[in-house]
């Protein structure tokens, strides 16, 4: 037994009994040392064994599960892209239908205007005939009082006045119906425009929401692919 006095630090002889810093490509915990201090080693010898310390990598199927996640997100991306395409087609169809409905309503309005014009002319003619008949009746009535025309002629003039009056009222009713049809056609046009605009606005909102979802899915897919690549690289370092 020998003794010597000296100044310095005390350290353990065996490497596993003292703190060690091992610079490795991936982090881990030293599980087992295969060499001792002063042991001769050659290139390629295993000096120590490091085990994983992150829980997310404990599962040996992590890389495979990440691949499943990537495929699932790719399917989800295709689905939302297909939905956006369908929404675009729906918006196009709605716009085409709106154009047809508006054109139909405008044609109906034009027809109503034309009918009002024709009925107005008929009413004007009927009123003219009624005024003429009224004038003739008054003249016949005056002549009858003077004894210049017979009662039969007066009754004939009265009958003509009644007929022209009935025709004038009929023309007025016909014109009122045409005006009502015009109002209905105008309301149908406004309703069609409002209805289709609401449907198109709703479809566009759904399409925009789908576009936002596509961005989210693309971001998630890119993140998962990055994690998959990083995990594969990490696994290669084992």
């Amino acid at each position: 037994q020998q003794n010597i006095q000296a100044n310095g630090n005390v350290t353990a002889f065996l490497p596993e009994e003292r703190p060690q810093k091992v610079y490795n490509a991936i982090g881990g915990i030293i599980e087992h040392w295969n060499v001792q201090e002063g042991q001769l080693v050659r290139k390629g010898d295993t000096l120590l064994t490091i085990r994983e310390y992150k829980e997310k990598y404990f599962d040996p199927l992590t890389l495979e599960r990440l691949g499943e996640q990537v495929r699932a997100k790719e399917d989800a991306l295709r689905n939302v892209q297909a939905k956006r395409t369908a929404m675009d087609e729906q918006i196009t169809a709605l716009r085409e239908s709106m154009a047809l409905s508006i054109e139909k309503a405008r044609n109906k309005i034009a027809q109503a205007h034309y009918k009002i014009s024709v009925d107005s002319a008929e009413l004007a003619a009927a009123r003219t005939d009624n005024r003429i008949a009224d004038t003739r009746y008054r003249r016949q009535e005056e002549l009858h009082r003077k004894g210049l025309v017979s009662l039969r002629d007066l009754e004939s003039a009265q009958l003509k006045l009644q007929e022209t009056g009935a025709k004038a009222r009929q023309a007025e009713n016909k014109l009122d119906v045409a005006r009502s049809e015009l109002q209905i056609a105008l309301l149908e046009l406004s309703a069609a425009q409002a209805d289709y605009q609401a449907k198109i606005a709703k479809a566009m909102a759904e399409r925009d929401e789908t576009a936002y979802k596509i961005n989210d899915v693309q971001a998630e897919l890119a993140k998962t692919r990055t994690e998959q690549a990083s995990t594969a690289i990490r696994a290669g370092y084992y």
Side-chain angles (χ1 to χ4, degrees):
Q1 182 177 4
Q2 295 179 343
N3 296 289
I4 186 172
Q5 293 182 353
N7 296 321
N9 298 321
V10 178
T11 183
F13 176 72
L14 297 177
E16 63 266 24
E17 295 179 358
R18 62 177 185 266
Q20 295 281 344
K21 286 186 178 181
V22 178
Y23 298 95
N24 193 39
I26 58 176
I29 297 177
I30 297 176
E31 186 177 59
H32 176 67
W33 281 90
N34 299 321
V35 295
Q36 295 182 354
E37 186 76 17
Q39 181 178 338
L40 179 64
V41 296
R42 294 181 177 84
K43 181 179 179 180
D45 288 350
T46 301
L47 305 182
L48 52 91
T49 303
I50 301 176
R51 65 177 174 84
E52 187 62 74
Y53 75 103
K54 291 185 177 181
E55 293 182 0
K56 63 182 295 185
Y57 298 115
F58 285 172
D59 185 359
L61 300 177
T62 298
L63 191 59
E64 181 178 346
R65 300 187 196 284
L66 286 172
E68 293 175 354
Q69 293 180 20
V70 168
R71 290 189 291 273
K73 286 181 171 59
E74 288 174 344
D75 291 339
L77 180 60
R78 284 191 290 270
N79 290 335
V80 292
Q81 287 175 338
K83 183 178 180 181
R84 184 178 64 179
T85 302
M87 296 306 301
D88 289 334
E89 294 175 352
Q90 182 181 357
I91 291 171
T92 301
L94 285 171
R95 285 175 174 165
E96 292 175 353
S97 298
M98 182 178 70
L100 291 175
S101 298
I102 290 175
E103 183 180 0
K104 181 179 178 181
R106 285 176 177 169
N107 290 336
K108 192 173 181 179
I109 291 172
Q111 292 173 359
H113 279 297
Y114 176 75
K115 189 175 181 182
I116 288 174
S117 177
V118 173
D119 292 346
S120 297
E122 291 180 358
L123 176 59
R127 284 175 175 174
T128 300
D129 292 341
N130 184 245
R131 285 194 298 269
I132 294 172
D134 182 66
T135 301
R136 288 178 179 176
Y137 172 75
R138 294 178 186 277
R139 186 181 301 115
Q140 292 290 345
E141 187 179 29
E142 180 67 22
L143 293 174
H144 177 69
R145 282 197 299 267
K146 294 179 179 180
L148 298 176
V149 296
S150 65
L151 179 60
R152 182 178 179 181
D153 291 337
L154 177 62
E155 290 175 348
S156 177
Q158 185 180 14
L159 180 61
K160 185 65 176 179
L161 177 61
Q162 292 174 350
E163 289 178 355
T164 56
K167 288 182 179 180
R169 288 189 294 272
Q170 184 179 1
E172 288 177 356
N173 294 333
K174 190 176 180 181
L175 179 60
D176 290 338
V177 171
R179 287 172 176 169
S180 298
E181 290 177 352
L182 174 61
Q183 294 301 319
I184 293 173
L186 291 172
L187 291 175
E188 288 178 353
L189 174 60
S190 299
Q193 289 176 331
D195 182 53
Y196 277 104
Q197 286 174 355
K199 290 180 179 178
I200 291 173
K202 181 180 178 182
M204 291 180 67
E206 292 180 1
R207 183 189 62 181
D208 293 341
E209 183 179 354
T210 304
Y212 295 143
K213 190 171 183 180
I214 287 175
N215 293 333
D216 293 339
V217 175
Q218 286 177 337
E220 292 176 1
L221 178 59
K223 182 179 178 181
T224 306
R225 283 174 174 169
T226 300
E227 185 177 0
Q228 182 188 32
S230 299
T231 303
I233 294 172
R234 184 184 180 91
Y237 286 149
Y238 287 163

